[in-house]
Amino acid sequence: MRYLILKITCISLLFAGISANMDLLADSDVTFSTNFESGAAADLKVRQDGSIEFSIPPDPGGDQYLWFYFQVISKKKEPHRFILKNATGAHQTGKRWNITKPIFSADGEKWVRAQKVQYARQVSISDMSIAKVFRFQSPIIAETLYVAYSYPYTNTDLRDYLGTICIDQSVEITKFGSTEEERPIPLLQIDSPREKKIWIIGREHPGETPLSFVCEGMIQALLDSPAGWKLRQSYGFSIVPILNVDGVENGYYYHNTGGVNLARDWEEFSSQEVQSLHSAMLHDIENGRLKLIVNLHSSNDPSKGHFFLRIPENKLSADNALLQKRIFEVAGNYHPQIQGRSPVTLYDLPGITGNALNEKYGVYCLYLESNYSRGADGTIPDPQSWHAVGEALVKALAEVLLSE
């Protein structure tokens, strides 16, 4: 009886535009690889209908997953179609898949977003189950095709970028510690001898790649723009573009190699990365030099653009509550994709970077969540617009901090 019901359901769902899971091909002329920096995917297979099915592997130590990045080599002369079969369990997704448009490249440098996407039910005949899957199609045809959740930004990309700015006399590039896998954690300092300091932290969560382009935009604005120059007359900057170096290297989404969420490790300090960062910041904190921390993250909320996380005012000092309010008020004036006046309250959970540093030291942490897929004005972000968001944030900081 169960088989009969499933069979009838399968037929009706097919007519409703919902696909049945066909048998997978054991052999094909398609090959796959994740054997490169930040590569991540599992169970890559070609189905009988020619589409490519895959899943996202979980991180060490947690069930959060979202990041995928893989290579397809094929002589197929039509666009590849893809099915992400464990989309339902991905981190903070659900309806967010409806705005998600993965990206494609023939050379790993020039990327194009998918246009055809669908988050819908699929019936599996082999195990008699129904589940939602995420379907998307490549807009380009190439013998070698790279596929990613969003624009990749690897440790190599960061090294290449730092190489373009290292000749600036106001810039010092060094390291402040090592990861669990003994990789150095880079530190960029701009005009560090200034009396007051601002720290910028990125990639606590390694799969949140848009923030790296925002970070580049901030750095470039600090070095080149009038607002950046004015800020640097009063503030030195210590910038950690990628804290979770191992996670970026290994294609993780939310954790480090030891399975630790670095964004929630600021009470236990169980990771080498957060231990090292805390030690590096402590001198500025204890000397009263640290004015502000900018903590960059990324999200995929369909109802927002790039938005801020708000620490409740009753948990902040009066000065920091006013600082937070003023930044939220002015930031949206500098870029239409920033949703400055509608912040989301930061989770009141132990060990979160901003909560822990505020409670222990009275240091304010400004959170910006750059959106993978949607700006506040409805436009679709890309590396150029994320760069512009970084520049806008520098302008907002200059307006607020220099008027105090």
Side-chain angles (χ1 to χ4, degrees):
M1 177 62 73
R2 183 185 174 196
Y3 173 77
L4 178 61
I5 293 172
L6 182 62
K7 184 176 181 181
I8 295 171
T9 303
C10 176
I11 295 170
S12 63
L13 291 180
L14 279 169
F15 279 101
I18 302 172
S19 299
N21 185 13
M22 310 298 289
D23 292 336
L24 300 173
L25 288 179
D27 300 308
S28 77
D29 59 354
V30 180
T31 58
F32 309 103
S33 176
T34 59
N35 189 26
F36 49 84
E37 201 173 5
S38 296
D43 307 320
L44 282 151
K45 300 171 183 176
V46 179
R47 292 163 29 114
Q48 192 174 44
D49 64 2
S51 60
I52 294 171
E53 183 178 275
F54 72 101
S55 61
I56 305 174
D59 284 1
D63 57 2
Q64 294 93 343
Y65 60 86
L66 187 61
W67 176 254
F68 59 82
Y69 183 20
F70 57 91
Q71 181 192 66
V72 181
I73 300 176
S74 168
K75 295 186 182 298
K76 188 176 179 181
K77 300 301 182 183
E78 58 187 44
H80 285 293
R81 291 171 290 119
F82 298 88
I83 301 174
L84 173 58
K85 60 182 183 178
N86 64 341
T88 300
H91 187 238
Q92 295 184 355
T93 49
K95 62 182 180 180
R96 302 182 185 206
W97 284 117
N98 294 323
I99 66 165
T100 300
K101 293 186 176 180
I103 63 166
F104 302 85
S105 174
D107 58 8
E109 296 182 4
K110 297 178 181 178
W111 295 89
V112 181
R113 281 191 185 266
Q115 298 302 314
K116 296 181 179 180
V117 302
Q118 181 188 43
Y119 182 52
R121 293 190 197 126
Q122 173 178 274
V123 177
S124 174
I125 296 174
S126 60
D127 59 6
M128 301 180 70
S129 64
I130 303 175
K132 280 193 171 182
V133 298
F134 179 57
R135 295 173 172 272
F136 56 98
Q137 180 173 306
S138 172
I140 61 175
I141 300 172
E143 185 170 324
T144 298
L145 184 68
Y146 292 91
V147 185
Y149 177 77
S150 186
Y151 294 84
Y153 193 100
T154 65
N155 294 312
T156 297
D157 292 325
L158 175 60
R159 285 193 292 270
D160 290 345
Y161 174 69
L162 294 180
T164 67
I165 63 172
C166 64
I167 59 173
D168 192 306
Q169 293 185 351
S170 62
V171 171
E172 179 185 0
I173 300 171
T174 181
K175 67 172 187 175
F176 63 86
S178 299
T179 67
E180 303 283 344
E181 295 182 1
E182 300 302 321
R183 293 185 176 91
I185 306 172
L187 176 66
L188 168 65
Q189 299 197 81
I190 302 175
D191 293 326
S192 57
R194 296 284 187 255
E195 182 179 344
K196 292 180 285 185
K197 290 286 290 294
I198 295 173
W199 279 72
I200 302 172
I201 303 171
R203 300 293 282 278
E204 287 181 315
H205 296 148
E208 296 179 355
T209 58
L211 72 85
S212 286
F213 299 101
V214 175
C215 188
E216 274 193 6
M218 292 189 73
I219 294 168
Q220 216 58 51
L222 288 170
L223 296 176
D224 297 339
S225 74
W229 184 87
K230 291 176 182 178
L231 261 182
R232 287 167 47 202
Q233 305 315 297
S234 300
Y235 296 92
F237 289 81
S238 292
I239 304 171
V240 184
I242 295 178
L243 179 61
N244 199 333
V245 178
D246 289 346
V248 171
E249 183 71 25
N250 296 325
Y252 301 151
Y253 166 61
Y254 222 60
H255 300 82
N256 75 345
T257 295
V260 178
N261 177 353
L262 303 188
R264 291 192 57 186
D265 192 35
W266 288 81
E267 285 188 359
E268 296 184 2
F269 298 104
S270 58
S271 67
Q272 289 186 202
E273 293 89 345
V274 174
Q275 289 176 26
S276 298
L277 179 55
H278 179 249
S279 297
M281 295 171 61
L282 204 55
H283 178 74
D284 290 336
I285 293 173
E286 292 177 341
N287 288 344
R289 298 180 64 199
L290 185 51
K291 173 65 178 179
L292 172 70
I293 297 168
V294 179
N295 200 330
L296 299 174
H297 285 265
S298 298
S299 178
N300 204 27
D301 194 323
S303 65
K304 304 184 186 304
H306 312 308
F307 62 93
F308 294 102
L309 296 180
R310 180 183 67 87
I311 299 176
E313 288 76 9
N314 62 358
K315 294 181 178 291
L316 297 172
S317 68
D319 287 344
N320 284 340
L322 180 60
L323 173 62
Q324 175 177 256
K325 179 183 177 183
R326 287 285 295 128
I327 293 172
F328 292 171
E329 288 174 344
V330 305
N333 298 334
Y334 288 106
H335 198 283
Q337 289 186 347
I338 298 177
Q339 191 162 317
R341 295 179 183 270
S342 300
V344 175
T345 302
L346 180 66
Y347 290 137
D348 187 16
L349 296 173
I352 288 181
T353 312
N355 293 337
L357 290 171
N358 175 59
E359 291 169 7
K360 188 169 184 178
Y361 303 114
V363 173
Y364 175 61
C365 185
L366 172 70
Y367 282 89
L368 176 69
E369 295 269 358
S370 48
N371 201 306
Y372 289 95
S373 304
R374 182 186 183 276
D377 58 355
T379 57
I380 298 176
D382 58 23
Q384 290 70 38
S385 67
W386 288 318
H387 282 151
V389 167
E391 181 180 2
L393 187 54
V394 168
K395 290 178 179 178
L397 290 174
E399 178 178 337
V400 174
L401 295 175
L402 300 180
S403 64
E404 290 184 326

